[in-house]
Amino acid sequence: MLDWLQISLPELFALLAAVAFAAGLNVYATVGALGLLARFGHLLLPPGLQLLESWPVIAASIILFAIEFFADKIPAFDLIWSALHTFVRVPVAALLAYGATRQLSPSQQLLAALLGGLIALAAHGGKTALRAVVTPSPEPFSNISLSLGEDVLALGLTWLATRHPYAAAAVAFVLLAVIILLIRVVIRALRALFRGAERELARRPA
């Protein structure tokens, strides 16, 4: 059983990086998984996060995860859902990091919260950008497959972080690098699309 209070500072920040990334993909799956792992004795949460293992929080997380499971797989609506959850995933990831580092100095707590929020924002932004590319496709299966993959990744990364923090953090940072490249490709593609549309409009007679 992993005790968050007994691990080293580098391990703690590695764990938080992976958890923050998972929260950026699916915050309800991440919170629910942490609560269930702690509830059934596979994880000892720090005092600042012990609320997660209460049944009301676990139940709420599971219900919200179930709602997101279906809402996140509806083309076009998933973009609205994802945009609204910018104000949920990022703050919750920052709060998780802040609560998990209560034993550290205030400056270290703030640093952990900032890093947690930024990592969640990057994961959330990459997810939203990828959805923006996939959503216009006429068939819904690519959207559903992508959503299922995100759900599995969020749950798997949360579990891995509680067993092998460094491995989970390595996976998260590799995915962050992929997201950065992906966002650059999407931005270039959109610019090329707009330039092409402008040239097409310019060719048409008034």
Side-chain angles (χ1 to χ4, degrees):
M1 180 174 63
L2 177 70
D3 184 350
W4 281 31
L5 293 176
Q6 299 300 321
I7 62 177
S8 65
L9 189 60
E11 277 185 306
L12 176 60
F13 273 81
L15 189 156
L16 292 176
V19 168
F21 188 94
L25 295 177
N26 191 317
V27 66
Y28 306 124
T30 303
V31 171
L34 290 174
L36 287 171
L37 287 169
R39 190 74 189 185
F40 290 103
H42 299 290
L43 174 67
L44 187 59
L45 292 171
L49 295 182
Q50 287 178 356
L51 180 65
L52 300 184
E53 60 186 283
S54 66
W55 281 119
V57 172
I58 292 173
S61 299
I62 292 174
I63 292 170
L64 290 169
F65 171 72
I67 294 172
E68 178 160 313
F69 183 84
F70 294 102
D72 204 37
K73 293 169 180 61
I74 303 173
F77 180 74
D78 65 324
L79 292 177
I80 300 172
W81 181 270
S82 188
L84 292 175
H85 275 74
T86 305
F87 305 101
V88 178
R89 294 168 184 156
V90 177
V92 170
L95 287 173
L96 287 174
Y98 189 82
T101 53
R102 186 175 292 181
Q103 72 278 16
L104 303 179
S105 67
S107 60
Q108 289 174 318
Q109 269 192 290
L110 289 174
L111 176 61
L114 178 62
L115 290 175
L118 288 175
I119 291 172
L121 179 61
H124 170 74
K127 169 178 177 170
T128 304
L130 191 56
R131 288 302 184 85
V133 174
V134 172
T135 293
S137 61
E139 45 79 28
F141 301 108
S142 56
N143 193 285
I144 293 172
S145 299
L146 186 60
S147 180
L148 286 172
E150 292 163 358
D151 295 340
V152 171
L153 180 59
L155 289 168
L157 197 58
T158 302
W159 177 86
L160 184 63
T162 64
R163 294 294 179 272
H164 307 285
Y166 291 130
V171 172
F173 284 121
V174 168
L175 291 174
L176 281 173
V178 172
I179 285 171
I180 292 171
L181 292 174
L182 173 66
I183 291 176
R184 291 180 64 183
V185 169
V186 170
I187 291 174
R188 288 175 182 173
L190 288 174
R191 285 176 177 171
L193 179 64
F194 287 131
R195 284 196 296 268
E198 288 175 357
R199 285 195 295 268
E200 184 64 25
L201 290 172
R203 291 194 195 101
R204 294 181 180 180

